[in-house]
Amino acid sequence: MNMRHFIAAAIAASLSSAALAQDYGKPGGPVTVVVGYQPYYTQSWSGVVMRGKKFYEKYLPKGSNVEFQIGLQGAIIVNNMLAGKQHIGYMGDMPSIVATTKTEVADVRLVANLGLAYDQCNAFLVRNDAPQFKNDQEAIRWLAGKTVAVPKGSCTDRFAQATFKRFNIQPKEYLNQNIEVITSNFRAGKLDAAVMWQPTTSRLVDEGLARLIATGKSVQENDGGFLAMRADLIKARPDIVKAWLQAELDAQLFIADPKNATEVIKMAKEQTTGFSEKVLWNSLYGRYPDSAGGGEMRNTMHYTFTPETRELINRAATFLHSIKSINTEKIRPEAIEAKWTEEILKERNLKAPIAEVKALPASQAPK
Amino acid sequence: MEAAATANGGDHAAVAVLRETTPFGEASGALLARIAALARLARYGAGARIYAPDDPADDIFVVVSGRVEHVLDPEVGAREGVKRVARGGVFGWTGLLLGQTRRMATVTALEPTEVLRLNTDDLIKLLSAEPLEGEHVLERFVSMIQREFTVPALLARVRRLSGPLTEEMSKLGLTMYRMSLWLKSPRPYLMLIGFALFLGFWYLAVEVWKLPRFREMPGPTSVVKEWLSPNPTYGLSLYTEEYYQHIIVSVWRVTKAFLLATVLGVAFGLLLGWSRAFKEYVFPVFEMLRPIPILAWVPLAIVMFIATESAVVYLAFLASFFATALNTMLGVESIDESYVRAAHCLGADRWQVFRHVIIPGSLPFIFTGLQISIGVSWFSLVAAEMVSGQYGLGYVINTSYMMVRYPTIVIGMVTLGLVGYITSAMVRIAGDYLMEWRVRELALSER
Amino acid sequence: MSVGQISIQDVVKVYDPEGAAVMAVDHCSLEIEAGEICMIVGPSGCGKTTLLNAIAGFHDITSGRITMDGEVLCSNDKPKSEPGPDRIVVFQNGALFPWKSNLENVIFGPVMQGKLARKQALEKGRAMMADAGLSGVEHNYPGEVSSGMRRRVEIVRALMNDPKALLLDEPYRALDSLTKSVMHEALLEIYYKNKVTIFFITHDLEEAIFLGHRVAIMTTRPCKPKKVLTVDIPHPRDYSVLTSKRFRELIEETNDAVHEEALKAFQAGEKEG
């Protein structure tokens, strides 16, 4: 092959690979999909279960290929979905909303809710040597004039700012740091407080680096996760959308069933590193003291777009717009495709919310 | 004795011999043709006296064939007063000296000789019409007079078309002069053309042709719109105060990191190069630490340093330090042994050799290292500022990535690139200022 | 003046004695009289530089003795001497410090040794440079002046220290022949004003006979004197000597010896190369 042939072949390959990028096959035929999910965020754990139990095999056409890719943060999954490297994404509420606003790059839409909770994302942690508080309200007031860090742009940011506003307090410093830096800073004793999502919250508590003092329950701010899909997938293969969402329903029911707790945690442990089973169990099934904002309800799977879910989406969008993270105040109506989940609920005679994850007795926790 | 000067018919031959001369050797073909047109051919027999001191200094002579003997008047003070000039040699340049209208030498043909005669005033006029090239030609005359005729005392008096004689300028003046030359030359415009081509390609690839992997990138229009918007969608533009805060914070951090890295790196590198024992103990550890990426240091840095700012500066300092130390060491090792031996012969002790030979001798390498090191410092900033939590260009880039704000990422990148470029150029200029001797040396070898 | 007498006695230099054991100098003995110009001629790589380095103190000797004015420089007990301003080297490719001006270079020796205060050193420097016809380039850097000038500045730099001897290692090798002949005359002029011993290494026989009182023709590696010739052309000399009859005769006498060694060196090189 001389030089000219080589160049021609290279060009053809690169162009064709681009064209081939989003070919989802014929309706009814096998499909290859890449799924991005965040095992390091509990709201994404139906994805963990999907990967572990392979519920989708029951519904997808024979010969289909599913590849799971771990995203350490929501932003990574957003980027990958926009670039067409992933077609389905399990993300927290904030990244999933951001993903729907980048239409100039790609059209991404939300097709299901993964869960709504008061303390999966919204958890205030303070340094271990902070004073003991009588209750979460007193603890929040203590935050005034302190150094607080959050990964900005995430649900933690929204929660922190809402809390400060409601209590009319200002921190001395409001820093933007990622999880690793926050962890190191707690270790070095440089932070007074931070907001973190599960399971990292439990790990920091377990390692004695910080204490939980308030959650979204303290201020009635919830958080959630959503399942997103690329619009071209939805258009080209509605059969796959439905198939996946059927499997998703199974997965959500599976997590909520207390009998499966041990298995769920086992799967979570396999798909993450640096977290013990005890910490993972505490994240989803543990009971935090009421004085720290803990409650019995750990997660509610709405599955479809109930009014509560939509309210969360609107609130989140407004917040994102206010911090100039997105360019619109309300997400476009077609970005929420509720019809799929509504259909499936009707078929299977279920009502949303379809399940609830309740806190389990501490005796059942792994050692 | 003297053959009549004939009008020059063979322009080609004239241009050919002009090309062999020092002053005209690098002029463009167009200029040479015009000079050739001015030239008149003259012939002299063996032993003919071409001119003597006090004759009018009207023409410049270029030897085409044969040989002449050029004896400078002892009053002129050249110690190598006798010179033989053959083909490609130039003499009779006295007319170029300010206030000099009389010959200073006796020139005799040693054998039958052909020359080109160029009227000095006409030549000056011609060169004035081509200021850039003309200046260059006169500079080369100066070079030739200094080197080949060894009468440096006269250099100050060579006429200039414009501007002062570089040999006489102070360090600062030299720097400013070189900058003004640079601005006048085509180089800054070529630079702008380079940028324009780059931007053009970006624009076409992303927004016009929508090439496969480029299509999803932010295009220059969206970036520029955001950058120049008084009310930017994502919060950062030329109009927002925050933008300048980020720049200032980053510049301040890089300055601290760079200065620290320079002081410690140069000292360390000098020791490594100078003391074999030190090198044996320390270099292996140094080389092992050097490849560790900044990101790996982040958690350690946070724990090691009480103040967050120190942690950030430390991270930006690291790679800089390694680059500077290594280059300094290489600089010391590159010094020609002869210099050290000469210093020993002249009675210098170890410390004097270090101060007077090693340090100035390593400076060129050190400055190469510094240019690399400041770039590396900027480069490390994105990782280093992950720790910061509030301000900085690296922080902007990180955060925009997290929040998926594409145009802002590019704004951060471009700003960082621009500011980094400026600081790098400043280091280079500082180097030129400190190493004036090298600048002049390079200037004489036409670089 | 009986200063600057160098005595080389039975010097042997073997490089890498435990390894390749290359003998560079083989029982070389030579007496250099005080104040004379002694030219060392030999093909490249024959070991003449090794000899110079031993005198200068850059290398040690394996055995033998070198003394200057009766004082031992190096011997079997003390194989390496310390470089010093009593015998200053002028290097082949020049070793003027490029980062110092010519004048700063020239005053380097006395100032470093603390022999002169800076002000006096500057005065003396300027005077000596003027003497050598170098007025006007004091504040230029070595890189700005011609190589011929650089050589002369380097010689002045050496002479500022009142050395007993100058050791020149093929200093004019890199110059074109026109400049070289001018340099020779300049060197002689300087020599006539400051009668130092000059130990001058070259491969150019004409240069050797033109400049030297005596010319030692060395064998190829290992080096020792093959033939020592006294040049009986009287000093002071100028370039007209080059065309004199006696000069031509001396060239004829020695050319064969030189050529013979050159051939041997070439063949040895071919074998190694």
Side-chain angles (χ1 to χ4, degrees):
Chain A
M1 228 187 358
N2 67 20
M3 198 51 168
R4 254 183 309 148
H5 287 147
F6 178 73
I7 293 179
I11 294 181
S14 60
L15 286 176
S16 63
S17 76
L20 215 63
Q22 311 311 342
D23 177 3
Y24 298 110
K26 291 198 209 345
V31 73
T32 303
V33 283
V34 182
V35 181
Y37 75 118
Q38 272 179 279
Y40 295 95
Y41 181 31
T42 39
Q43 282 292 8
S44 214
W45 278 6
S46 53
V48 169
V49 169
M50 281 284 250
R51 186 176 189 178
K53 300 293 289 180
K54 294 199 193 334
F55 286 136
Y56 50 84
E57 277 181 348
K58 195 162 122 194
Y59 302 96
L60 287 179
K62 282 270 166 305
S64 292
N65 240 325
V66 176
E67 188 194 326
F68 280 85
Q69 291 181 347
I70 295 180
L72 290 175
Q73 267 157 163
I76 298 176
I77 299 178
V78 173
N79 275 314
N80 279 329
M81 286 191 75
L82 291 173
K85 295 207 173 79
Q86 288 167 0
H87 315 112
I88 299 177
Y90 284 76
M91 297 183 268
D93 46 24
M94 307 285 264
S96 49
I97 291 171
V98 170
T100 62
T101 60
K102 303 289 170 196
T103 44
E104 72 272 15
V105 183
D107 188 348
V108 173
R109 303 189 179 188
L110 307 179
V111 294
N113 166 258
L114 300 174
L116 245 54
Y118 279 109
D119 59 13
Q120 289 304 329
C121 174
N122 302 349
F124 253 113
L125 294 167
V126 295
R127 58 199 307 165
N128 231 352
D129 56 1
Q132 293 292 339
F133 305 109
K134 272 208 297 292
N135 55 31
D136 48 5
Q137 315 289 318
E138 185 186 309
I140 292 177
R141 271 190 281 273
W142 180 82
L143 294 171
K146 302 289 182 298
T147 305
V148 182
V150 301
K152 282 200 190 156
S154 67
C155 49
T156 58
D157 191 8
R158 185 181 79 231
F159 169 53
Q161 292 205 33
T163 308
F164 295 143
K165 204 174 351 158
R166 199 175 291 225
F167 278 72
N168 205 7
I169 57 178
Q170 284 282 30
K172 178 169 91 174
E173 273 183 308
Y174 188 55
L175 302 172
N176 178 3
Q177 295 175 344
N178 63 21
I179 305 186
E180 296 76 43
V181 177
I182 288 178
T183 307
S184 296
N185 272 326
F186 267 130
R187 204 184 294 275
K190 292 195 206 162
L191 270 185
D192 291 319
V195 182
M196 197 39 61
W197 54 80
Q198 298 286 12
T200 305
T201 312
S202 293
R203 184 172 77 180
L204 288 173
V205 170
D206 186 62
E207 287 182 6
L209 293 174
R211 266 170 34 219
L212 186 71
I213 53 128
T215 67
K217 187 147 165 290
S218 317
V219 293
Q220 295 299 306
E221 275 276 335
N222 57 5
D223 57 72
F226 292 96
L227 186 60
M229 284 195 191
R230 281 180 64 99
D232 53 13
L233 172 63
I234 301 175
K235 279 198 186 59
R237 297 298 302 268
D239 55 328
I240 300 300
V241 178
K242 265 199 91 169
W244 192 270
L245 287 173
Q246 293 272 21
E248 175 64 23
L249 186 70
D250 292 344
Q252 291 190 8
L253 291 171
F254 187 88
I255 291 190
D257 189 344
K259 283 201 294 299
N260 299 324
T262 320
E263 205 183 332
V264 170
I265 296 306
K266 194 154 136 292
M267 285 189 279
K269 176 105 168 53
E270 277 164 15
Q271 294 178 31
T272 57
T273 46
F275 288 87
S276 67
E277 282 191 13
K278 177 160 161 245
V279 164
L280 292 168
W281 191 92
N282 271 328
S283 316
L284 190 56
Y285 301 111
R287 180 83 160 80
Y288 289 101
D290 284 2
S291 60
E296 234 210 308
M297 203 63 58
R298 295 308 312 280
N299 207 2
T300 311
M301 273 72 168
H302 284 241
Y303 185 64
T304 188
F305 294 92
T306 57
E308 270 168 306
T309 320
R310 285 179 193 267
E311 190 272 329
L312 169 61
I313 291 176
N314 288 339
R315 198 176 355 121
T318 310
F319 175 75
L320 283 169
H321 181 70
S322 74
I323 61 166
K324 308 230 166 160
S325 188
I326 57 176
N327 55 4
T328 162
E329 234 192 296
K330 278 189 129 40
I331 74 170
R332 52 199 173 100
E334 64 270 20
I336 301 182
E337 296 224 358
K339 68 170 193 262
W340 312 96
T341 44
E342 284 169 358
E343 252 179 60
I344 293 177
L345 284 178
K346 218 183 282 178
E347 281 174 26
R348 289 169 66 156
N349 217 352
L350 291 167
K351 269 191 144 47
I354 57 167
E356 280 174 351
V357 178
K358 288 205 180 60
L360 296 176
S363 52
Q364 288 188 26
K367 296 291 158 272
Chain B
M1 280 267 212
E2 185 182 303
T6 57
N8 178 37
D11 268 350
H12 262 342
V15 169
V17 75
L18 285 174
R19 272 214 192 287
E20 293 179 36
T21 64
T22 303
F24 303 111
E26 301 212 330
S28 68
L31 184 61
L32 284 181
R34 262 175 277 162
I35 297 175
L38 266 188
R40 287 134 40 232
L41 199 62
R43 286 191 189 84
Y44 301 89
R49 165 73 48 87
I50 300 179
Y51 60 74
D54 287 341
D55 284 354
D58 46 4
D59 289 341
I60 296 173
F61 290 71
V62 177
V63 179
V64 178
S65 70
R67 230 162 34 125
V68 307
E69 187 181 74
H70 179 280
V71 183
L72 279 168
D73 194 3
E75 281 176 2
V76 168
R79 272 306 159 243
E80 293 158 18
V82 178
K83 190 170 157 66
R84 310 239 161 82
V85 186
R87 182 184 164 86
V90 176
F91 63 94
W93 36 259
T94 333
L96 285 177
L97 302 176
L98 288 169
Q100 189 73 29
T101 52
R102 302 270 144 199
R103 293 293 181 197
M104 299 190 303
T106 310
V107 182
T108 323
L110 291 171
E111 51 190 73
T113 301
E114 262 188 354
V115 299
L116 291 177
R117 295 178 66 143
L118 299 162
N119 179 273
T120 313
D121 289 327
D122 288 345
L123 181 64
I124 295 276
K125 271 203 214 95
L126 202 150
L127 293 177
S128 303
E130 287 301 320
L132 214 59
E133 267 205 286
E135 183 107 19
H136 198 56
V137 167
L138 277 181
E139 268 176 26
R140 291 183 67 97
F141 259 108
V142 168
S143 220
M144 179 190 80
I145 292 172
Q146 188 177 52
R147 285 190 148 137
E148 296 172 28
F149 288 87
T150 67
V151 278
L154 295 177
L155 290 180
R157 292 160 58 193
V158 169
R159 292 193 231 179
R160 306 301 276 182
L161 295 177
S162 62
L165 199 55
T166 55
E167 279 74 13
E168 293 190 319
M169 287 192 277
S170 69
K171 275 189 192 173
L172 190 60
L174 184 64
T175 312
M176 303 260 85
Y177 177 59
R178 282 168 65 79
M179 272 212 276
S180 71
L181 270 187
W182 180 78
L183 282 172
K184 279 190 246 166
S185 74
R187 277 159 62 201
Y189 310 106
L190 292 176
M191 186 175 91
L192 289 174
I193 292 178
F195 277 120
L197 283 175
F198 173 72
L199 283 173
F201 174 71
W202 178 17
Y203 175 67
L204 290 171
V206 174
E207 302 191 24
V208 175
W209 298 328
K210 298 212 205 304
L211 295 180
R213 293 318 320 169
F214 288 89
R215 169 176 44 218
E216 282 115 23
M217 279 171 48
T221 21
S222 68
V223 172
V224 172
K225 236 195 296 189
E226 178 78 357
W227 203 7
L228 299 177
S229 151
N231 191 9
T233 322
Y234 300 109
L236 208 72
S237 79
L238 286 178
Y239 290 87
T240 52
E241 191 191 319
E242 211 187 307
Y243 181 68
Y244 299 99
Q245 275 177 315
H246 289 301
I247 294 178
I248 290 175
V249 168
S250 284
V251 170
W252 184 219
R253 285 176 180 148
V254 167
T255 306
K256 280 193 275 197
F258 177 70
L259 287 176
L260 209 65
T262 301
V263 169
L264 291 177
V266 170
F268 205 76
L270 286 174
L271 270 174
L272 278 176
W274 188 223
S275 160
R276 197 154 304 148
F278 188 74
K279 184 171 177 181
E280 273 175 23
Y281 280 121
V282 175
F283 196 58
V285 178
F286 176 87
E287 280 292 273
M288 211 181 64
L289 291 175
R290 189 161 66 94
I292 300 177
I294 311 292
L295 277 174
W297 282 98
V298 167
L300 273 183
I302 297 178
V303 174
M304 286 197 293
F305 291 90
I306 299 182
T308 305
E309 197 60 21
S310 318
V312 177
V313 172
Y314 169 72
L315 291 166
F317 149 91
L318 266 179
S320 242
F321 167 76
F322 284 115
T324 306
L326 194 67
N327 271 287
T328 305
M329 181 189 88
L330 293 173
V332 173
E333 292 177 352
S334 76
I335 296 179
D336 195 325
E337 202 178 22
S338 307
Y339 296 127
V340 177
R341 286 181 170 174
H344 282 145
C345 275
L346 293 166
D349 66 35
R350 214 172 140 82
W351 278 119
Q352 286 169 328
V353 172
F354 190 73
R355 233 194 90 198
H356 291 275
V357 179
I358 302 299
I359 294 182
S362 333
L363 271 185
F365 266 81
I366 293 179
F367 266 92
T368 309
L370 288 184
Q371 280 185 65
I372 295 175
S373 126
I374 190 158
V376 154
S377 202
W378 276 106
F379 219 80
S380 314
L381 206 63
V382 176
E385 286 185 334
M386 260 170 60
V387 178
S388 96
Q390 272 183 315
Y391 291 111
L393 290 171
Y395 166 80
V396 165
I397 293 175
N398 264 318
T399 311
S400 307
Y401 170 53
M402 280 307 123
M403 313 241 242
V404 199
R405 300 170 177 164
Y406 292 127
T408 318
I409 298 179
V410 180
I411 292 178
M413 285 166 69
V414 172
T415 311
L416 197 149
L418 276 176
V419 181
Y421 179 74
I422 293 175
T423 49
S424 196
M426 279 167 56
V427 170
R428 206 170 334 131
I429 292 179
D432 281 350
Y433 183 81
L434 284 175
M435 294 187 292
E436 188 198 341
W437 55 270
R438 193 161 157 78
V439 167
R440 292 185 197 257
E441 187 178 20
L442 292 175
L444 274 185
S445 57
E446 318 312 326
R447 258 190 278 155
Chain C
M1 258 195 280
S2 60
V3 174
Q5 190 260 352
I6 301 177
S7 178
I8 302 172
Q9 299 162 15
D10 206 31
V11 169
V12 177
K13 172 66 183 173
V14 180
Y15 283 111
D16 195 16
E18 271 121 64
V22 177
M23 182 177 272
V25 180
D26 176 20
H27 296 286
C28 173
S29 295
L30 188 63
E31 292 295 318
I32 299 157
E33 285 164 44
E36 82 163 341
I37 302 179
C38 181
M39 307 297 292
I40 313 291
V41 178
S44 306
C46 78
K48 1 187 249 290
T49 305
T50 308
L51 212 50
L52 182 145
N53 284 342
I55 303 173
F58 300 147
H59 281 159
D60 58 6
I61 56 175
T62 310
S63 74
R65 218 153 87 111
I66 304 181
T67 68
M68 186 153 85
D69 289 336
E71 274 182 48
V72 172
L73 287 179
C74 49
S75 64
N76 286 318
D77 304 318
K78 188 184 104 168
K80 182 174 171 317
S81 62
E82 281 309 302
D86 51 349
R87 56 220 195 280
I88 303 185
V89 178
V90 174
F91 293 83
Q92 195 174 105
N93 293 314
L96 283 182
F97 305 127
W99 47 85
K100 290 184 184 289
S101 69
N102 289 328
L103 186 55
E104 288 284 337
N105 263 288
V106 160
I107 66 172
F108 186 78
V111 171
M112 285 298 119
Q113 295 167 53
K115 290 233 173 81
L116 283 180
R118 196 180 153 79
K119 193 153 156 273
Q120 280 123 349
L122 285 169
E123 269 174 44
K124 182 172 176 191
R126 274 197 206 102
M128 286 200 78
M129 282 182 80
D131 240 6
L134 294 167
S135 303
V137 295
E138 290 96 339
H139 299 292
N140 290 97
Y141 287 100
E144 290 180 289
V145 296
S146 69
S147 27
M149 278 198 151
R150 281 203 286 269
R151 289 291 178 282
R152 285 193 288 149
V153 173
E154 203 170 337
I155 294 175
V156 172
R157 181 174 76 170
L159 290 174
M160 278 280 285
N161 302 279
D162 293 320
K164 296 182 183 174
L166 282 183
L167 312 175
L168 289 86
D169 185 0
E170 299 193 65
Y172 304 138
R173 186 198 180 118
L175 301 179
D176 62 85
S177 58
L178 292 175
T179 315
K180 227 197 235 198
S181 55
V182 174
M183 285 288 99
H184 290 157
E185 292 193 308
L187 179 64
L188 285 180
E189 233 187 85
I190 291 175
Y191 170 73
Y192 298 141
K193 290 188 191 156
N194 313 269
K195 281 240 164 50
V196 283
T197 306
I198 295 185
F199 179 92
F200 192 127
I201 295 181
T202 179
H203 60 262
D204 182 348
L205 186 57
E206 282 199 19
E207 179 176 56
I209 296 185
F210 177 68
L211 290 174
H213 288 103
R214 289 192 304 147
V215 175
I217 296 165
M218 310 299 260
T219 57
T220 64
R221 187 158 28 95
C223 116
K224 68 196 294 178
K226 182 184 170 99
K227 177 172 171 159
V228 179
L229 173 82
T230 306
V231 179
D232 53 7
I233 300 174
H235 278 280
R237 303 177 186 163
D238 62 28
Y239 73 89
S240 65
V241 164
L242 290 170
T243 43
S244 71
K245 194 165 132 224
R246 184 68 190 131
F247 186 80
R248 288 284 129 206
E249 282 170 8
L250 288 167
I251 299 259
E252 268 179 49
E253 269 178 51
T254 45
N255 217 2
D256 287 338
V258 172
H259 185 73
E260 196 181 299
E261 291 309 313
L263 202 55
K264 277 194 217 153
F266 179 71
Q267 283 161 348
E270 292 276 277
K271 272 195 234 120
E272 281 169 35

